[in-house]
């Protein structure tokens, strides 16, 4: 057997990003937000959570900025094994009403930002995630929303592609990127 190191590192980054995303959602929308499911692949993540209404552009930006601020802090990821009761007292979040053993693994990522029970693979430092970019938000069931996001090189390439599209629009309007919205008589996008 041979481990695909690049794939594994990408999965670590995406899995770690789901923890930062979950806590960011709770801080921006409220502690009633609960993870309902997730998918972590080597080139994207999908995160389902309880919420009764679609998120605004401003909320999505605040969530994305909060995740990226924790990534930029580049804090070391802390993993501790402890008794379940001690983990609960520490404030660690457990998911899906799962049954846990008497001893659990507690993950702290982003400093003291996110604290959850988790047995998955994670980055050594939050900065290893790279850039975090939300690419969509949608409803998937009554009271359940979904965010899809990308990190690292995929996020950088996505941002470059969006910039190239904007540049093509600006060129067709005989404008530059900075003034394309005023050429279209739109309000400033600040």
């Amino acid at each position: 057997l041979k481990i695909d190191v690049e794939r594994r590192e990408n999965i670590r980054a995406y899995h770690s990003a789901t923890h930062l995303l979950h806590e960011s959602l709770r801080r921006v929308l409220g502690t009633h937000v609960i993870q309902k499911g997730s998918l972590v692949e080597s080139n994207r993540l999908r995160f389902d959570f309880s919420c009764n209404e679609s998120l605004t552009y401003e909320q999505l930006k605040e969530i994305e900025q909060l995740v990226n601020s924790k990534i930029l802090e580049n804090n070391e990821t802390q993993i501790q094994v402890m008794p379940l009761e001690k983990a609960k007292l520490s404030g660690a979040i457990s998911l899906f009403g799962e049954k846990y053993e008497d001893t659990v693994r507690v993950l702290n990522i982003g400093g003291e930002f996110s604290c959850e029970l988790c047995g998955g693979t994670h980055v050594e430092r939050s900065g290893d995630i790279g850039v975090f970019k939300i690419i969509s938000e949608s409803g998937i069931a009554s009271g359940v929303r979904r965010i899809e996001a990308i990190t690292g090189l995929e996020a950088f390439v996505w941002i470059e592609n969006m910039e190239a599209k904007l540049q093509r629009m600006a060129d067709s309007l005989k404008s530059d990127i900075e003034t394309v919205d005023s050429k279209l008589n739109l309000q400033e996008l600040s």
Side-chain angles (χ1 to χ4, degrees):
L1 292 175
K2 183 177 175 186
I3 294 174
D4 182 337
V5 176
E6 181 180 344
R7 181 178 180 277
R8 172 103 171 166
E9 291 303 314
N10 287 343
I11 288 171
R12 284 178 187 219
Y14 278 101
H15 186 181
S16 299
T18 63
H19 287 275
L20 294 177
L21 174 58
H22 186 202
E23 184 59 28
S24 295
L25 285 162
R26 292 170 53 82
R27 293 199 183 197
V28 172
L29 303 176
T31 56
H32 63 281
V33 170
I34 298 169
Q35 179 178 346
K36 293 294 189 180
S38 69
L39 171 72
V40 174
E41 295 184 331
S42 62
N43 63 349
R44 71 185 183 114
L45 71 83
R46 188 176 73 206
F47 191 84
D48 301 340
F49 58 99
S50 60
C51 188
N52 289 322
E53 52 194 39
S54 61
L55 278 62
T56 66
Y57 175 81
E58 291 77 17
Q59 288 170 321
L60 288 169
K61 289 295 120 196
E62 186 177 353
I63 291 161
E64 188 176 272
Q65 288 170 356
L66 189 51
V67 171
N68 280 308
S69 73
K70 293 303 168 186
I71 290 170
L72 287 170
E73 286 176 8
N74 198 29
N75 290 306
E76 185 176 354
T77 300
Q78 302 290 323
I79 298 173
Q80 298 176 359
V81 176
M82 64 181 69
L84 177 60
E85 288 308 312
K86 183 178 178 185
K88 287 179 181 178
L89 290 173
S90 76
I93 296 173
S94 58
L95 304 176
F96 308 124
E98 291 181 10
K99 296 193 189 294
Y100 294 97
E101 299 292 324
D102 292 337
T103 303
V104 294
R105 191 168 177 255
V106 178
L107 170 81
N108 282 290
I109 187 163
E112 296 295 316
F113 185 71
S114 172
C115 181
E116 294 187 38
L117 303 185
C118 186
T121 184
H122 295 281
V123 295
E124 290 182 25
R125 303 188 74 82
S126 60
D128 297 341
I129 296 169
V131 175
F132 174 83
K133 182 69 186 144
I134 295 172
I135 56 172
S136 71
E137 187 272 338
S138 60
I140 60 164
S142 178
V144 181
R145 307 295 300 173
R146 172 173 288 165
I147 284 181
E148 295 190 53
I150 50 180
T151 69
L153 186 58
E154 285 84 11
F156 184 71
V157 168
W158 188 90
I159 291 166
E160 281 186 327
N161 287 339
M162 291 298 110
E163 183 180 32
K165 286 180 182 182
L166 183 56
Q167 185 61 58
R168 287 192 300 275
M169 286 187 270
D171 290 346
S172 71
L173 294 169
K174 296 183 181 11
S175 178
D176 58 40
I177 288 176
E178 298 299 321
T179 59
V180 70
D181 57 330
S182 63
K183 273 281 202 188
L184 292 170
N185 294 322
L186 298 176
Q187 289 183 323
E188 269 196 51
L189 305 170
S190 43

